[in-house]
């Protein structure tokens, strides 16, 4: 199979990056995974401008990664918090994989700044490739085949 024969316009990686590849989106997701839900808390922790954060949060709500929920502190006006949806939570392995890569190649001499452990046993949590049968899979063990959504480039022989 020659990947050059496929039209990359339907590539799921490219489509995903249209959403999560925007500046600050993955960091906002990280904050949500760490439990931050309120605009002011996210802004304070990231140091991003109000206008940029507002635009990113609006886009993430539109894309279905977050949903807005009203809350009210006693004696205060109603405000909005941002809660991960199933679609947003499904990106957690992406965040774990990026953290894992960063810990391996970019962490300082002191080591990883955040450790992620399984609450049930205390073992470290890591991202890995596993097939549907439960086997760990290395990069050299993966085969690629056309899927049902493939589009062929016009010059490609099928």
């Amino acid at each position: 199979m020659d990947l050059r024969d496929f039209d990359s316009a339907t590539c799921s990686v490219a489509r995903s990056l249209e959403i999560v590849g925007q500046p600050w989106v993955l960091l906002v997701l990280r904050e949500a995974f760490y439990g931050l839900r309120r605009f002011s808390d996210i802004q304070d922790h990231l140091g991003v401008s109000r206008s940029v954060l507002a635009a990113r949060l609006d886009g993430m709500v539109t894309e279905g990664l977050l949903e807005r929920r009203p809350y009210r502190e006693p004696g205060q006006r109603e405000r909005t918090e941002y809660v991960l949806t199933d679609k947003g939570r499904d990106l957690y392995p992406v965040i774990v994989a990026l953290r894992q890569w960063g810990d391996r190649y970019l962490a300082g001499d002191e080591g990883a700044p955040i450790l992620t452990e399984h609450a049930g046993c205390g073992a470290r949590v890591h991202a890995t490739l596993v097939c549907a049968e439960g086997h760990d899979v290395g990069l050299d063990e993966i085969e690629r085949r056309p899927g049902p959504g493939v589009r062929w480039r016009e010059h490609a022989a099928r």
Side-chain angles (χ1 to χ4, degrees):
M1 179 180 83
D2 189 341
L3 290 175
R4 293 173 294 189
D5 293 338
F6 296 100
D7 181 352
S8 62
T10 60
C11 172
S12 294
V13 173
R15 288 178 172 175
S16 298
L17 284 174
E18 288 177 13
I19 299 167
V20 300
Q22 295 180 42
W24 299 102
V25 168
L26 289 174
L27 294 175
V28 170
L29 283 170
R30 179 196 66 193
E31 300 306 306
F33 290 126
Y34 287 173
L36 297 182
R37 295 178 167 195
R38 298 178 180 176
F39 186 100
S40 59
D41 292 337
I42 296 168
Q43 182 192 21
D44 180 58
H45 201 245
L46 289 178
V48 63
S49 74
R50 291 184 62 78
S51 61
V52 169
L53 181 57
R56 292 305 173 265
L57 289 169
D58 285 346
M60 294 169 76
V61 167
T62 298
E63 292 295 339
L65 303 177
L66 299 170
E67 68 179 32
R68 288 184 178 96
R69 287 194 189 153
Y71 74 93
R72 182 186 306 252
E73 297 285 342
Q76 299 290 318
R77 67 177 173 87
E78 186 175 275
R79 296 179 184 261
T80 301
E81 65 181 6
Y82 297 88
V83 180
L84 287 161
T85 63
D86 288 342
K87 187 176 179 181
R89 280 189 294 277
D90 282 348
L91 285 165
Y92 191 59
V94 174
I95 298 295
V96 170
L98 283 170
R99 181 195 44 79
Q100 186 175 313
W101 184 86
D103 288 350
R104 181 171 182 180
Y105 295 106
L106 305 173
D109 293 337
E110 302 83 21
I114 300 289
L115 300 178
T116 307
E117 299 172 345
H118 179 208
C121 72
R124 288 274 185 89
V125 173
H126 65 276
T128 187
L129 297 176
V130 179
C131 76
E133 296 295 322
H135 306 114
D136 286 347
V137 180
L139 184 59
D140 59 338
E141 299 174 288
I142 295 175
E143 295 180 9
R144 292 157 194 85
R145 293 190 183 91
V150 71
R151 286 188 195 160
W152 298 95
R153 293 178 71 181
E154 290 189 27
H155 75 274
R158 291 176 210 121

